[in-house]
Amino acid sequence: MTQPEAAPTLQVSEVGEEAAEVVTALIHAGFSHRPALDPPATALDETTATVAAALRGAGGLLATRDGEPVGALLLDHDGDWLTLRRVSVAPQAQRLGVASALAAAAEEVAERRRVPRLRLAARVELPATVALWVRLGYREIDRHGPLLTLAKETPVRGVAEDADATRELGRRLAGGLRAGDLLILTGDLGAGKTTLTQGLGAGLGVRGPVTSPTFVLSRVHPSEVGGPPLVHVDAYRLGLGAGAGALELDDLDLDLSLDTAVTVVEWGEGLAERLADDRLHLSIRRATGGATDGAGDEATEQRTVTLTAVGARWVGSDIHRLVT
């Protein structure tokens, strides 16, 4: 009996100047396959020597598919920025996820190097390329003629040892929020979503108590210090009915208060993203077991909070430093 063929393996590795020749070849292959631009791209001016110099600096990434080089990019590290340059995919490997794999690997490099944000240049004449980077979470932050600068913040992780530390993390995070901000919280039952929201409420100076709004779906907590109110939404029940969640979220009329409030949606992943292009995703994970506090969250165990910022609103902000 014939065994089925194994699926091709796509791998991305960090490389240095030893890969200059193959990276240069990929840059030339990828950019020569693009439509003619005015002014023309300068990528075809790259030589093995210029690529080797770049790789000696901040390094680069090489993608292989079953061992064959299919994509590459150069990295440039400047302060808080990791810049992706000369992102190239071999013509025969187009539409196989190579560019997305390179982008994901670049984010991992940024996290390891503790660089808070990434950027790249794209041409407005290549709308499909721009759309790809937008799908990957990049947003336009600058434009000079046909050249766009697209950027995103890298995910950041903070550790809270217990429920009190989770509230404190929320209180710190509130210091970087303003009216119009949307936060989407995910995590298992008892992970600490409401506990973190209590900290947000304390940091924003809103009227409490902040408790789970499961049975009323949403609560509005007015500010007692002249700041924005906190709109606290629990979308758990909305996500239970197949296809019904989006319609029921519309019934809450959150769009009426989005611009004037800080909106927190628990269990909002897959439902609340369409409310705003700029948003914060917070994923909360904890160890199993332990006693519960009054809000139904685990009171004593460590949580890991992963914050992913989406949109130009957060690029260049101090949101990373408020979590770590």
Side-chain angles (χ1 to χ4, degrees):
M1 183 166 140
T2 303
Q3 295 293 326
E5 293 185 8
T9 301
L10 181 62
Q11 294 183 321
V12 180
S13 306
E14 283 192 72
V15 292
E17 63 178 313
E18 76 286 346
E21 187 172 343
V22 67
V23 171
T24 305
L26 284 165
I27 291 172
H28 282 243
F31 278 83
S32 63
H33 189 68
R34 295 183 178 185
L37 301 174
D38 184 21
T42 59
L44 296 179
D45 296 334
E46 294 283 7
T47 66
T48 301
T50 61
V51 170
L55 292 172
R56 278 196 301 272
L61 297 174
L62 176 65
T64 59
R65 192 169 186 261
D66 282 350
E68 177 189 359
V70 291
L73 61 78
L74 303 177
L75 297 171
D76 183 14
H77 184 186
D78 181 14
D80 285 343
W81 290 97
L82 188 67
T83 302
L84 284 56
R85 300 177 51 245
R86 308 306 195 203
V87 182
S88 310
V89 178
Q92 73 275 14
Q94 298 285 336
R95 303 183 185 277
L96 296 178
V98 176
S100 296
L102 287 166
E107 287 192 30
E108 293 176 2
V109 171
E111 287 189 66
R112 286 198 301 271
R113 298 185 187 181
R114 299 184 181 275
V115 184
R117 52 195 63 98
L118 302 102
R119 65 185 170 192
L120 58 93
R123 297 286 290 257
V124 294
E125 306 99 316
L126 301 173
T129 300
V130 174
L132 166 68
W133 292 108
V134 170
R135 286 197 302 273
L136 295 175
Y138 286 76
R139 294 295 184 269
E140 179 183 341
I141 62 168
D142 198 11
R143 180 184 297 225
H144 289 288
L147 198 63
L148 305 178
T149 299
L150 306 175
K152 71 180 296 185
E153 295 285 302
T154 59
V156 60
R157 291 173 181 82
V159 175
E161 295 297 334
D162 53 26
D164 287 341
T166 304
R167 292 187 188 91
E168 173 59 20
L169 188 151
R171 188 194 64 76
R172 295 199 312 271
L173 182 60
L177 301 179
R178 67 189 187 202
D181 288 341
L182 170 67
L183 288 75
I184 300 175
L185 274 56
T186 59
D188 295 335
L189 285 169
K193 297 180 294 297
T194 299
T195 302
L196 187 138
T197 307
Q198 290 169 349
L200 291 170
L204 292 170
V206 302
R207 186 183 307 160
V210 175
T211 59
S212 174
T214 299
F215 299 105
V216 296
L217 295 183
S218 69
R219 285 195 178 94
V220 179
H221 297 272
S223 174
E224 296 184 323
V225 295
L230 171 67
V231 176
H232 185 198
V233 182
D234 190 320
Y236 178 71
R237 286 194 292 143
L238 302 186
L240 295 180
L247 294 176
E248 293 190 48
L249 196 63
D250 285 341
D251 291 340
L252 297 179
D253 291 328
L254 295 177
D255 55 325
L256 299 179
S257 62
L258 273 174
D259 291 341
T260 58
V262 171
T263 304
V264 177
V265 184
E266 297 188 26
W267 301 98
E269 190 172 38
L271 292 174
E273 290 87 352
R274 61 192 177 81
L275 293 173
D277 290 334
D278 298 328
R279 56 190 182 268
L280 293 179
H281 292 257
L282 289 99
S283 173
I284 307 174
R285 296 290 181 266
R286 62 165 178 83
T288 58
T292 60
D293 62 16
D297 296 322
E298 296 293 329
T300 58
E301 293 187 352
Q302 184 183 86
R303 281 95 162 165
T304 299
V305 180
T306 302
L307 183 150
T308 304
V310 176
R313 150 81 173 102
W314 305 106
V315 177
S317 70
D318 286 333
I319 206 71
H320 280 73
R321 296 178 178 87
L322 297 174
V323 174
T324 54

mmCIF file of all heavy atoms in Angstrom, residues 10-13 61-64 70 73 89 96-108 132-133 136:
data_model
loop_
_atom_site.group_PDB
_atom_site.id
_atom_site.type_symbol
_atom_site.label_atom_id
_atom_site.label_comp_id
_atom_site.label_asym_id
_atom_site.label_seq_id
_atom_site.Cartn_x
_atom_site.Cartn_y
_atom_site.Cartn_z
ATOM 1 N N LEU A 10 7.810 24.018 5.976
ATOM 2 C CA LEU A 10 8.276 25.393 5.853
ATOM 3 C C LEU A 10 8.962 25.784 7.151
ATOM 4 O O LEU A 10 8.356 25.705 8.222
ATOM 5 C CB LEU A 10 7.095 26.331 5.566
ATOM 6 C CG LEU A 10 7.414 27.816 5.380
ATOM 7 C CD1 LEU A 10 8.318 28.026 4.174
ATOM 8 C CD2 LEU A 10 6.123 28.618 5.230
ATOM 9 N N GLN A 11 10.210 26.184 7.074
ATOM 10 C CA GLN A 11 10.986 26.560 8.246
ATOM 11 C C GLN A 11 11.607 27.937 8.037
ATOM 12 O O GLN A 11 12.001 28.272 6.922
ATOM 13 C CB GLN A 11 12.076 25.536 8.536
ATOM 14 C CG GLN A 11 11.559 24.165 8.947
ATOM 15 C CD GLN A 11 12.682 23.210 9.296
ATOM 16 O OE1 GLN A 11 13.722 23.201 8.658
ATOM 17 N NE2 GLN A 11 12.476 22.410 10.336
ATOM 18 N N VAL A 12 11.695 28.699 9.128
ATOM 19 C CA VAL A 12 12.327 30.013 9.079
ATOM 20 C C VAL A 12 13.417 30.046 10.139
ATOM 21 O O VAL A 12 13.183 29.687 11.300
ATOM 22 C CB VAL A 12 11.315 31.149 9.336
ATOM 23 C CG1 VAL A 12 12.021 32.504 9.277
ATOM 24 C CG2 VAL A 12 10.180 31.093 8.316
ATOM 25 N N SER A 13 14.610 30.491 9.732
ATOM 26 C CA SER A 13 15.747 30.531 10.647
ATOM 27 C C SER A 13 16.416 31.896 10.594
ATOM 28 O O SER A 13 16.413 32.565 9.554
ATOM 29 C CB SER A 13 16.777 29.463 10.261
ATOM 30 O OG SER A 13 16.198 28.180 10.185
ATOM 31 N N LEU A 61 16.425 36.791 8.183
ATOM 32 C CA LEU A 61 15.661 35.548 8.271
ATOM 33 C C LEU A 61 15.663 34.872 6.909
ATOM 34 O O LEU A 61 15.554 35.536 5.871
ATOM 35 C CB LEU A 61 14.228 35.820 8.712
ATOM 36 C CG LEU A 61 14.036 36.416 10.100
ATOM 37 C CD1 LEU A 61 12.578 36.773 10.331
ATOM 38 C CD2 LEU A 61 14.522 35.451 11.175
ATOM 39 N N LEU A 62 15.750 33.557 6.932
ATOM 40 C CA LEU A 62 15.721 32.761 5.716
ATOM 41 C C LEU A 62 14.649 31.694 5.857
ATOM 42 O O LEU A 62 14.643 30.935 6.839
ATOM 43 C CB LEU A 62 17.081 32.105 5.463
ATOM 44 C CG LEU A 62 17.172 31.166 4.255
ATOM 45 C CD1 LEU A 62 16.963 31.943 2.955
ATOM 46 C CD2 LEU A 62 18.519 30.439 4.242
ATOM 47 N N ALA A 63 13.741 31.635 4.886
ATOM 48 C CA ALA A 63 12.690 30.620 4.873
ATOM 49 C C ALA A 63 13.048 29.536 3.872
ATOM 50 O O ALA A 63 13.470 29.832 2.745
ATOM 51 C CB ALA A 63 11.349 31.250 4.507
ATOM 52 N N THR A 64 12.879 28.285 4.279
ATOM 53 C CA THR A 64 13.120 27.157 3.381
ATOM 54 C C THR A 64 11.880 26.266 3.364
ATOM 55 O O THR A 64 11.177 26.139 4.367
ATOM 56 C CB THR A 64 14.339 26.334 3.811
ATOM 57 O OG1 THR A 64 14.126 25.829 5.148
ATOM 58 C CG2 THR A 64 15.607 27.167 3.782
ATOM 59 N N VAL A 70 13.175 29.783 -0.069
ATOM 60 C CA VAL A 70 11.988 30.327 -0.743
ATOM 61 C C VAL A 70 11.664 31.753 -0.309
ATOM 62 O O VAL A 70 10.787 32.395 -0.888
ATOM 63 C CB VAL A 70 10.754 29.428 -0.512
ATOM 64 C CG1 VAL A 70 10.907 28.096 -1.232
ATOM 65 C CG2 VAL A 70 10.495 29.226 0.985
ATOM 66 N N LEU A 73 14.353 37.989 4.498
ATOM 67 C CA LEU A 73 14.269 39.412 4.803
ATOM 68 C C LEU A 73 15.494 39.822 5.602
ATOM 69 O O LEU A 73 16.162 38.983 6.216
ATOM 70 C CB LEU A 73 12.973 39.765 5.543
ATOM 71 C CG LEU A 73 12.661 39.142 6.909
ATOM 72 C CD1 LEU A 73 13.428 39.810 8.051
ATOM 73 C CD2 LEU A 73 11.172 39.246 7.200
ATOM 74 N N VAL A 89 9.958 36.876 -1.489
ATOM 75 C CA VAL A 89 9.469 35.504 -1.646
ATOM 76 C C VAL A 89 9.749 35.069 -3.076
ATOM 77 O O VAL A 89 9.445 35.799 -4.028
ATOM 78 C CB VAL A 89 7.956 35.404 -1.349
ATOM 79 C CG1 VAL A 89 7.467 33.969 -1.573
ATOM 80 C CG2 VAL A 89 7.656 35.848 0.081
ATOM 81 N N LEU A 96 2.061 30.651 -0.642
ATOM 82 C CA LEU A 96 2.255 29.441 0.166
ATOM 83 C C LEU A 96 2.478 29.775 1.641
ATOM 84 O O LEU A 96 2.898 28.918 2.410
ATOM 85 C CB LEU A 96 3.442 28.627 -0.374
ATOM 86 C CG LEU A 96 3.286 28.049 -1.783
ATOM 87 C CD1 LEU A 96 4.563 27.300 -2.199
ATOM 88 C CD2 LEU A 96 2.073 27.127 -1.860
ATOM 89 N N GLY A 97 2.231 31.027 2.019
ATOM 90 C CA GLY A 97 2.367 31.417 3.417
ATOM 91 C C GLY A 97 3.772 31.783 3.824
ATOM 92 O O GLY A 97 4.053 31.903 5.025
ATOM 93 N N VAL A 98 4.664 31.995 2.857
ATOM 94 C CA VAL A 98 6.061 32.279 3.190
ATOM 95 C C VAL A 98 6.191 33.638 3.869
ATOM 96 O O VAL A 98 6.881 33.777 4.886
ATOM 97 C CB VAL A 98 6.941 32.204 1.934
ATOM 98 C CG1 VAL A 98 8.390 32.589 2.279
ATOM 99 C CG2 VAL A 98 6.895 30.809 1.326
ATOM 100 N N ALA A 99 5.553 34.667 3.308
ATOM 101 C CA ALA A 99 5.655 36.004 3.899
ATOM 102 C C ALA A 99 5.083 36.026 5.313
ATOM 103 O O ALA A 99 5.658 36.643 6.219
ATOM 104 C CB ALA A 99 4.936 37.028 3.023
ATOM 105 N N SER A 100 3.975 35.331 5.527
ATOM 106 C CA SER A 100 3.388 35.277 6.875
ATOM 107 C C SER A 100 4.315 34.572 7.854
ATOM 108 O O SER A 100 4.442 34.985 9.012
ATOM 109 C CB SER A 100 2.031 34.561 6.830
ATOM 110 O OG SER A 100 1.102 35.282 6.048
ATOM 111 N N ALA A 101 4.973 33.515 7.389
ATOM 112 C CA ALA A 101 5.920 32.794 8.250
ATOM 113 C C ALA A 101 7.113 33.670 8.589
ATOM 114 O O ALA A 101 7.594 33.677 9.737
ATOM 115 C CB ALA A 101 6.377 31.508 7.568
ATOM 116 N N LEU A 102 7.608 34.430 7.625
ATOM 117 C CA LEU A 102 8.703 35.357 7.897
ATOM 118 C C LEU A 102 8.279 36.419 8.907
ATOM 119 O O LEU A 102 9.039 36.763 9.821
ATOM 120 C CB LEU A 102 9.165 36.021 6.599
ATOM 121 C CG LEU A 102 9.954 35.156 5.609
ATOM 122 C CD1 LEU A 102 10.038 35.848 4.256
ATOM 123 C CD2 LEU A 102 11.354 34.852 6.150
ATOM 124 N N ALA A 103 7.062 36.938 8.751
ATOM 125 C CA ALA A 103 6.571 37.960 9.674
ATOM 126 C C ALA A 103 6.441 37.410 11.089
ATOM 127 O O ALA A 103 6.808 38.082 12.062
ATOM 128 C CB ALA A 103 5.228 38.494 9.188
ATOM 129 N N ALA A 104 5.919 36.196 11.222
ATOM 130 C CA ALA A 104 5.782 35.596 12.556
ATOM 131 C C ALA A 104 7.149 35.379 13.197
ATOM 132 O O ALA A 104 7.328 35.620 14.402
ATOM 133 C CB ALA A 104 5.022 34.269 12.450
ATOM 134 N N ALA A 105 8.117 34.938 12.408
ATOM 135 C CA ALA A 105 9.455 34.731 12.946
ATOM 136 C C ALA A 105 10.088 36.058 13.357
ATOM 137 O O ALA A 105 10.811 36.126 14.363
ATOM 138 C CB ALA A 105 10.326 34.029 11.908
ATOM 139 N N ALA A 106 9.824 37.125 12.599
ATOM 140 C CA ALA A 106 10.361 38.433 12.967
ATOM 141 C C ALA A 106 9.797 38.899 14.303
ATOM 142 O O ALA A 106 10.507 39.508 15.113
ATOM 143 C CB ALA A 106 10.047 39.453 11.873
ATOM 144 N N GLU A 107 8.505 38.617 14.547
ATOM 145 C CA GLU A 107 7.925 38.966 15.847
ATOM 146 C C GLU A 107 8.616 38.209 16.973
ATOM 147 O O GLU A 107 8.866 38.760 18.059
ATOM 148 C CB GLU A 107 6.426 38.661 15.855
ATOM 149 C CG GLU A 107 5.599 39.633 15.046
ATOM 150 C CD GLU A 107 4.117 39.472 15.303
ATOM 151 O OE1 GLU A 107 3.745 39.073 16.425
ATOM 152 O OE2 GLU A 107 3.324 39.744 14.389
ATOM 153 N N GLU A 108 8.928 36.943 16.739
ATOM 154 C CA GLU A 108 9.623 36.160 17.763
ATOM 155 C C GLU A 108 11.006 36.741 18.032
ATOM 156 O O GLU A 108 11.451 36.788 19.185
ATOM 157 C CB GLU A 108 9.724 34.703 17.322
ATOM 158 C CG GLU A 108 8.379 33.988 17.260
ATOM 159 C CD GLU A 108 8.511 32.572 16.734
ATOM 160 O OE1 GLU A 108 9.659 32.151 16.453
ATOM 161 O OE2 GLU A 108 7.484 31.880 16.602
ATOM 162 N N LEU A 132 -1.862 42.318 2.875
ATOM 163 C CA LEU A 132 -1.256 41.219 3.645
ATOM 164 C C LEU A 132 -0.758 41.717 4.986
ATOM 165 O O LEU A 132 -1.049 41.115 6.032
ATOM 166 C CB LEU A 132 -0.101 40.605 2.850
ATOM 167 C CG LEU A 132 0.827 39.676 3.655
ATOM 168 C CD1 LEU A 132 0.086 38.418 4.061
ATOM 169 C CD2 LEU A 132 2.087 39.342 2.861
ATOM 170 N N TRP A 133 -0.013 42.824 4.975
ATOM 171 C CA TRP A 133 0.540 43.321 6.232
ATOM 172 C C TRP A 133 -0.553 43.832 7.167
ATOM 173 O O TRP A 133 -0.444 43.681 8.388
ATOM 174 C CB TRP A 133 1.587 44.398 5.948
ATOM 175 C CG TRP A 133 2.798 43.829 5.282
ATOM 176 C CD1 TRP A 133 3.184 43.982 3.981
ATOM 177 C CD2 TRP A 133 3.768 42.953 5.874
ATOM 178 N NE1 TRP A 133 4.324 43.272 3.725
ATOM 179 C CE2 TRP A 133 4.715 42.631 4.870
ATOM 180 C CE3 TRP A 133 3.931 42.416 7.149
ATOM 181 C CZ2 TRP A 133 5.796 41.798 5.117
ATOM 182 C CZ3 TRP A 133 5.025 41.586 7.391
ATOM 183 C CH2 TRP A 133 5.942 41.290 6.381
ATOM 184 N N LEU A 136 -1.895 41.030 8.987
ATOM 185 C CA LEU A 136 -0.964 40.572 10.023
ATOM 186 C C LEU A 136 -0.862 41.553 11.193
ATOM 187 O O LEU A 136 -0.032 41.369 12.071
ATOM 188 C CB LEU A 136 0.417 40.357 9.402
ATOM 189 C CG LEU A 136 0.498 39.230 8.358
ATOM 190 C CD1 LEU A 136 1.878 39.187 7.712
ATOM 191 C CD2 LEU A 136 0.164 37.881 8.988
#
